[in-house]
Amino acid sequence: MGYPDTFEGFMVRDQEKWTEFHKQEFPPKKFQDRDIDIKIICCGVCGSDVHTINKGWGPAPMPLCVGHEVIGTAVKVGEKVTTVKVGDRVGVGAQIWSCMECKPCKTDNENYCPKKIGRNLMLFLFFRTRVLTILTTDTYGAPYPEEMGGVISQGGYSSHIRAHEYFTFKIPDGIPSEEAAPMMCAGLTVYSPLLRAGVGPGKQVAIVGEGGLGHFATMFAAAMGAEVSVLSTSADKEAAAKQLGAKNFILTDADSNWAKPWAFTFNFMLNTADAAHKFDMSTYLSTLAVNGEMHHVGLPDAPLPEIKAQTFAPNGCKMGGSHIGSRPEMFKMLQLVSEKKLKPMIETIPISEEGCATAVKGVHENTVRYRYTLVDYDKAFPNR
């Protein structure tokens, strides 16, 4: 049928064949008063996309169109929309809806809404195997309530996306679309905890992992005025880390005693690597200043290693984690990028069956430097 009745996307049909993408139509949610239809210009490729389609985070509804780092042009707005008009360049990230009524939603913490699409609603019950899995995705792979159409949300490897205005963000003119795209998830995911931790001048910040998330974290923490040290297992990433603002680059696999010179140093450590299940946590925690925090945004498929409560006692440290960020934090991040003229390191790939496959393989194999953005949507979707 085509837009506005159906959208078209590159979809995975089988998690056992997660690098095989097929172009097909799908139904969007019911259009409501505060919704915005967006013709997509480009979309970032996130590690979450890979974890979802390859079953790393469990079963997902198939067929599925992933992608939650969307930049596009508003082509239709609901009658109650006040923040966006037709023709605006906008972004959509990893959250597509929340209840707007609970305590988190009313305190600028809508990213922790217990009713948001995908957090508590996405249950798959396999009666024959008696396995119950909760899938924690938002913009794609989650069921809308019946009053919204009862369909599964689909992401940005597609011609269009339909989003609530609260989760749609106008993009400043000075930020190129292909660079803005990965900020919608990767950027916000690291900016939010840095902001909430009070990162700024006088603070010592460690970034664990210099990949898609980590390179944003390094760039933001430095731009916020902190002294930044990158902890990595990849010596070839040192030049990029320092170009992004890191003062120190620490190889954690070159010497088993790497942490000793850094004892009681870091006020805040942001782990962006999805390999924390392999960490010797006591070693990492020993580098924290008194009352320092190790904060996780890298989400591995495996559990964190076992740890005793006594491990936190020597420096009174703590450990935490977070989930994306809020609407106010998104705008603060975009303002920082615009004012400081920050430039993430992006590779672009034309969207197609082959292009999507190349991108998810590159993320899975950690060969991307440091984030992919799928582009050339007008060529892939000429009749929209």
Side-chain angles (χ1 to χ4, degrees), residues 48 57 178:
S48 302
W57 288 347
E178 65 272 15

Side-chain angles (χ1 to χ4, degrees), residues 99-114:
C99 75
M100 305 290 178
E101 297 175 352
C102 67
K103 185 174 181 179
C105 283
K106 290 182 177 181
T107 55
D108 289 334
N109 288 297
E110 69 280 355
N111 45 312
Y112 298 107
C113 174

Side-chain angles (χ1 to χ4, degrees), residues 101-345:
E101 297 175 352
C102 67
K103 185 174 181 179
C105 283
K106 290 182 177 181
T107 55
D108 289 334
N109 288 297
E110 69 280 355
N111 45 312
Y112 298 107
C113 174
K115 299 179 183 179
K116 68 182 176 62
I117 293 294
R119 187 175 181 85
N120 291 348
L121 299 178
M122 197 57 182
L123 302 178
F124 293 93
L125 183 57
F126 297 87
F127 293 102
R128 291 184 182 179
T129 58
R130 296 183 180 179
V131 175
L132 183 66
T133 302
I134 300 175
L135 182 64
T136 56
T137 57
D138 300 305
T139 296
Y140 54 76
Y144 280 104
E146 286 301 319
E147 62 268 24
M148 298 184 189
V151 299
I152 298 296
S153 61
Q154 304 289 350
Y157 297 8
S158 59
S159 60
H160 302 78
I161 194 166
R162 180 168 290 167
H164 189 283
E165 74 166 317
Y166 196 81
F167 301 98
T168 304
F169 313 99
K170 289 182 67 173
I171 305 300
D173 291 340
I175 306 176
S177 294
E178 65 272 15
E179 296 177 8
M183 295 176 195
M184 296 298 100
C185 177
L188 183 62
T189 294
V190 298
Y191 179 77
S192 173
L194 291 171
L195 182 68
R196 296 189 187 208
V199 166
K203 293 294 181 71
Q204 290 270 0
V205 174
I207 306 300
V208 183
E210 188 70 0
L213 290 174
H215 100 287
F216 271 115
T218 300
M219 180 175 71
F220 289 157
M224 294 163 82
E227 182 173 311
V228 180
S229 299
V230 169
L231 281 58
S232 176
T233 60
S234 303
D236 63 345
K237 294 182 177 180
E238 180 172 2
K242 291 187 173 178
Q243 181 181 336
L244 291 163
K247 181 176 181 180
N248 307 300
F249 188 86
I250 305 165
L251 278 174
T252 57
D253 62 351
D255 182 351
S256 59
N257 294 316
W258 68 266
K260 287 186 178 180
W262 302 97
F264 294 96
T265 297
F266 303 117
N267 306 107
F268 189 69
M269 177 182 290
L270 185 61
N271 172 41
T272 68
D274 63 357
H277 58 294
K278 302 176 183 178
F279 289 0
D280 179 349
M281 285 297 178
S282 61
T283 299
Y284 281 83
L285 294 174
S286 73
T287 67
L288 292 175
V290 174
N291 296 140
E293 178 183 356
M294 183 179 189
H295 191 96
H296 296 272
V297 292
L299 304 177
D301 297 343
L304 293 176
E306 184 176 317
I307 189 170
K308 291 184 177 181
Q310 292 93 319
T311 306
F312 300 99
N315 53 359
C317 67
K318 53 186 176 289
M319 187 183 293
S322 56
H323 176 252
I324 51 175
S326 68
R327 179 178 174 88
E329 289 167 341
M330 177 72 84
F331 285 120
K332 287 179 181 178
M333 177 194 70
L334 292 172
Q335 182 180 8
L336 177 71
V337 172
S338 184
E339 290 179 351
K340 299 281 188 176
K341 301 187 185 305
L342 303 180
K343 302 286 289 185
M345 297 180 178

Side-chain angles (χ1 to χ4, degrees), residues 18 47 50 209-215 232-237 272-275 347 358-372:
W18 59 274
V50 178
E210 188 70 0
L213 290 174
H215 100 287
S232 176
T233 60
S234 303
D236 63 345
K237 294 182 177 180
T272 68
D274 63 357
E347 297 181 44
T358 298
V360 296
K361 288 177 186 176
V363 172
H364 181 68
E365 295 167 2
N366 195 29
T367 56
V368 58
R369 294 293 185 272
Y370 284 92
R371 208 75 181 179
Y372 287 130

